[in-house]
């Protein structure tokens, strides 16, 4: 066993830096889908209204929320990660990845439930609606949010993304 570990350790040490670096793909040619993206894109073509591959997230936020700082943070996150700005187009039936511009911004819909007697029920309805609203893979963005005010210092943030990104 010790001999096996020693051999494995030596092989790892012999790897060159070129073996461990990830090279950037040229943006001068159409971007190909990964195998996982090909599968998800194909399934989306079979049922465009499907929400099976949505990844919904619910965050409760406490305290006063500075909305402009919150939105700027979300926009910067989206600008930093190309994968979150990816869309999937298929001219002539051949799918490829396109990337939305860095200044696209994360779409956030705001809802005010402050003072409503049915706020808890309305929140559940918004959660259900958000998780079950389909994405258009060819238009994007494939991530979106909803900010729901429950009171001046209690908020709920719904973030949904398609698994393809």
């Amino acid at each position: 066993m010790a001999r096996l570990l020693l051999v494995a350790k030596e092989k790892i040490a012999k790897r060159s830096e070129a073996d461990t670096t990830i090279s950037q793909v040229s943006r001068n040619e159409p971007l190909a889908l990964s195998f996982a993206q090909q599968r998800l894109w194909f399934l989306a073509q079979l049922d465009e209204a499907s929400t099976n591959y949505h990844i919904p997230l619910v965050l409760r936020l406490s305290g006063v929320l500075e909305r402009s700082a919150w939105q700027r943070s979300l926009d910067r996150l989206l600008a930093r990660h190309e994968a979150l700005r990816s869309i999937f187009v298929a001219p002539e039936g051949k799918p490829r990845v396109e990337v939305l511009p860095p200044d696209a911004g994360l779409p956030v819909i705001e809802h005010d439930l402050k003072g409503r007697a049915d706020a808890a029920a309305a929140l559940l309805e918004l959660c259900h609606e958000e998780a079950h609203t389909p994405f258009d893979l060819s238009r994007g963005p494939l991530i979106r949010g909803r900010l729901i005010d429950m009171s001046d210092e209690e908020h709920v943030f719904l973030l949904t993304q398609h698994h393809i990104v």
Side-chain angles (χ1 to χ4, degrees):
M1 180 71 154
R3 175 74 178 134
L4 260 170
L5 290 174
L6 183 60
V7 170
K9 202 174 192 181
E10 287 173 0
K11 283 185 179 184
I12 290 170
K14 288 181 182 178
R15 285 187 180 167
S16 70
E17 189 175 309
D19 292 338
T20 58
T21 57
I22 299 172
S23 58
Q24 186 173 3
V25 175
S26 169
R27 297 301 187 258
N28 297 328
E29 300 171 18
L31 296 171
L33 279 66
S34 69
F35 291 121
Q37 289 171 331
Q38 289 176 25
R39 182 180 65 85
L40 290 169
W41 181 84
F42 176 77
L43 292 170
Q45 303 316 296
L46 295 176
D47 184 5
E48 292 179 4
S50 174
T51 59
N52 291 336
Y53 295 99
H54 286 189
I55 302 172
L57 173 72
V58 179
L59 297 173
R60 288 199 173 268
L61 309 172
S62 297
V64 176
L65 181 64
E66 187 180 327
R67 291 182 187 311
S68 61
W70 173 255
Q71 186 66 55
R72 278 193 315 272
S73 298
L74 295 171
D75 292 345
R76 285 185 181 166
L77 181 70
L78 191 73
R80 174 145 172 77
H81 297 283
E82 260 187 2
L84 298 177
R85 292 184 283 115
S86 296
I87 59 172
F88 301 84
V89 297
E92 301 162 15
K94 296 185 80 172
R96 71 171 190 259
V97 178
E98 288 186 0
V99 180
L100 297 173
D103 63 352
L106 182 82
V108 176
I109 299 171
E110 296 189 26
H111 302 274
D112 186 355
L113 301 182
K114 292 183 285 196
R116 285 184 48 175
D118 67 339
L123 175 60
L124 286 175
E125 179 61 33
L126 287 170
C127 289
H128 184 268
E129 179 182 307
E130 175 55 38
H132 292 90
T133 299
F135 285 101
D136 181 344
L137 298 184
S138 66
R139 292 195 52 202
L142 302 179
I143 184 170
R144 61 178 179 240
R146 291 189 193 216
L147 182 62
I148 304 160
D149 296 328
M150 302 305 287
S151 72
D152 288 336
E153 295 191 8
E154 295 295 322
H155 314 275
V156 176
F157 181 58
L158 308 178
L159 184 69
T160 307
Q161 66 182 358
H162 195 284
H163 187 62
I164 200 167
V165 298

